[in-house]
Each structure stands twice: as structure tokens, then as C-alpha cells.
């Protein structure tokens, strides 16, 4: 099963430098935010870079677009952080190996942005006048799951049966859990997963064309 991790700490850092760096940045920034106040307080989170939209004035958060990225490295509490970092630690390395480091980093960031964009879009469609504050790496992590869903459906030879079942289970559990817990942004998860599915399709097609060209 590709999601089981057997590497030593040193080997993990060497083999998956982007994932290691992302985990480190999330932890460091959480400490910075927590030392300066309550990371679960909306205004405090906003001050430190949370994704924010307002249906009346800035429905898609485009006045401060950098929040699409900074919010991906913020978490509302220690449980939120640990849950997401465990998922990143375990499930992201095989994708970094498949995409290689630079493409994987681009993929990860775009999935996080896609999750925030989907959340903003749904808030606009629902005409949520209370505004929206969002933090967390979940959109990007669900992008990783979306990529593996694509692989499970269209590149089955790259995943063993146990790994495919794990992908399906995580996605089903994630959707159910997102519905049950009000504080979780379901649409950020959906947007991230959709972005991951579509982006991996693009990367896969590009790779296939290159292999065909040079064969």
C-alpha cells in the first residue's frame, strides 16, 4: 500500500522536500498566530491572513488576493492543525513522487486556491450577508485526494487495490464528516478535490503527450 510510510525522518526530508516544507510552514505559522492571540477568533485570524469575503463589498476576496494562499497555512486550533498535517504527512508523498517537486508545489497551491474559490462562489450563490472567514490546508489536501481519485479511476495500474479503497473511504468519510460538523467548510473541500481531479488530468495528459512524442 503506497500510503504506508516506512522512511526514516532523514529519508523523508530528502525524498519529499516540498511536503516537508509545507508541514513545517503550517506548524511554524500556527505557533506565530497562536502566540499572538486566539487562532479561532475571526478578527485575529483575519489580521494574520485568513481568507475573507463579503458578498456586498468583495464577494470573491479579490481585493486582497494573497489571502487565497496565506489562509492555506493557518489553522483554527491544534486539533485542526494536527489532523491536516497527519493527512499531508501520510498521503501527499506518493503524489510528490509522481508529479515531481515543482509541479507538485504548483498543484498543491492551485488546489488550495480552488478550494477557497469554491467556498467564495457558494457564499455568493447563497447570498450569505454575514461574510466568510476561512483557514486551513484542507482544500489543498483534498486536492491530493482528488488526484488519487483520478488515478484510481483512470490509471488503476498505478495504485494497488488497498490504496484505491483507502482513497474512496477517505473521500466518503470526508464528505459525511463535513456535513456533520458545522464549522467545517464543505465547499472548500469539494472545490479542492475537484481542482485536484481536474489538474491531475491536465498533468497526466501533458505527460502522456511527451512520452508519445519521444517514443
Amino acid at each position: 500500500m503506497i500510503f504506508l510510510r516506512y522512511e526514516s525522518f532523514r529519508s523523508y526530508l530528502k525524498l519529499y522536500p516540498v511536503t516537508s516544507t509545507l508541514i513545517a510552514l503550517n506548524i511554524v505559522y500556527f505557533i506565530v498566530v497562536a502566540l499572538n492571540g486566539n487562532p479561532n477568533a475571526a478578527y485575529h485570524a483575519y489580521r494574520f491572513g485568513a481568507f475573507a469575503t463579503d458578498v456586498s463589498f468583495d464577494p470573491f476576496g479579490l481585493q486582497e488576493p494573497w489571502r487565497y494562499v496565506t489562509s492555506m497555512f493557518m489553522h483554527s486550533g491544534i486539533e485542526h492543525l494536527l489532523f491536516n498535517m497527519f493527512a499531508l504527512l501520510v498521503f501527499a508523498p506518493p503524489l510528490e513522487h509522481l508529479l515531481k517537486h515543482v509541479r507538485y508545489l504548483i498543484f498543491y497551491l492551485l488546489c488550495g486556491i480552488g478550494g477557497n474559490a469554491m467556498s467564495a462562489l457558494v457564499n455568493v450563490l447563497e447570498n450569505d450577508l454575514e461574510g466568510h472567514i476561512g483557514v486551513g490546508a484542507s482544500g489543498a489536501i483534498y486536492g491530493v485526494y482528488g488526484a488519487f481519485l483520478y488515478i484510481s479511476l483512470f490509471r488503476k495500474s498505478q495504485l494497488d487495490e488497498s490504496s484505491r479503497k483507502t482513497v474512496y473511504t477517505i473521500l466518503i468519510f470526508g464528505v459525511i464528516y463535513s456535513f456533520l460538523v458545522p464549522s467545517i467548510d464543505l465547499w472548500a473541500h469539494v472545490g479542492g478535490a475537484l481542482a485536484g481531479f481536474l489538474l491531475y488530468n491536465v498533468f497526466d495528459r501533458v505527460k502522456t503527450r511527451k512520452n508519445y512524442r519521444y517514443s
Side-chain angles (χ1 to χ4, degrees):
M1 186 174 179
I2 67 169
F3 299 125
L4 295 178
R5 307 263 56 86
Y6 299 104
E7 306 90 354
S8 66
F9 179 72
R10 182 176 297 179
S11 296
Y12 190 98
L13 295 178
K14 183 177 180 181
L15 291 170
Y16 316 115
V18 177
T19 298
S20 301
T21 301
L22 290 171
I23 292 173
L25 289 173
N26 275 277
I27 294 173
V28 169
Y29 200 49
F30 176 79
I31 294 172
V32 170
V33 175
L35 287 176
N36 286 276
N38 180 5
N40 198 36
Y43 181 68
H44 181 64
Y46 176 82
R47 286 180 56 231
F48 279 84
F51 181 63
T53 63
D54 186 291
V55 173
S56 301
F57 302 104
D58 189 16
F60 291 100
L62 297 179
Q63 291 185 17
E64 297 178 321
W66 47 271
R67 293 181 181 275
Y68 273 89
V69 176
T70 55
S71 61
M72 295 164 52
F73 296 92
M74 299 179 64
H75 291 83
S76 60
I78 189 66
E79 291 183 4
H80 188 203
L81 173 72
L82 292 179
F83 186 83
N84 278 346
M85 292 307 98
F86 176 78
L88 197 56
L89 178 77
V90 173
F91 296 106
L95 190 63
E96 181 171 354
H97 174 73
L98 286 171
L99 291 177
K100 307 308 178 187
H101 308 312
V102 174
R103 280 185 296 175
Y104 165 71
L105 177 59
I106 294 171
F107 172 91
Y108 181 90
L109 294 175
L110 288 178
C111 288
I113 291 170
N116 281 330
M118 176 66 82
S119 183
L121 176 61
V122 172
N123 276 279
V124 170
L125 294 177
E126 292 179 346
N127 196 30
D128 185 357
L129 299 178
E130 294 184 359
H132 170 73
I133 297 286
V135 297
S138 299
I141 292 170
Y142 269 79
V144 173
Y145 299 153
F148 282 118
L149 177 61
Y150 177 89
I151 295 170
S152 298
L153 295 175
F154 301 109
R155 293 290 182 266
K156 293 184 178 181
S157 62
Q158 296 181 15
L159 283 181
D160 57 90
E161 184 177 354
S162 295
S163 296
R164 290 198 298 272
K165 288 181 179 179
T166 298
V167 171
Y168 301 144
T169 301
I170 289 172
L171 287 171
I172 293 171
F173 175 79
V175 171
I176 295 173
Y177 187 70
S178 299
F179 272 113
L180 293 178
V181 182
S183 61
I184 291 180
D185 192 340
L186 168 65
W187 293 109
H189 292 181
V190 171
L194 182 60
F197 187 92
L198 296 176
L199 281 171
Y200 194 86
N201 175 47
V202 172
F203 285 136
D204 187 57
R205 288 176 180 272
V206 170
K207 181 179 179 181
T208 301
R209 288 175 184 173
K210 285 184 177 179
N211 290 340
Y212 177 77
R213 188 181 306 158
Y214 292 113
S215 62

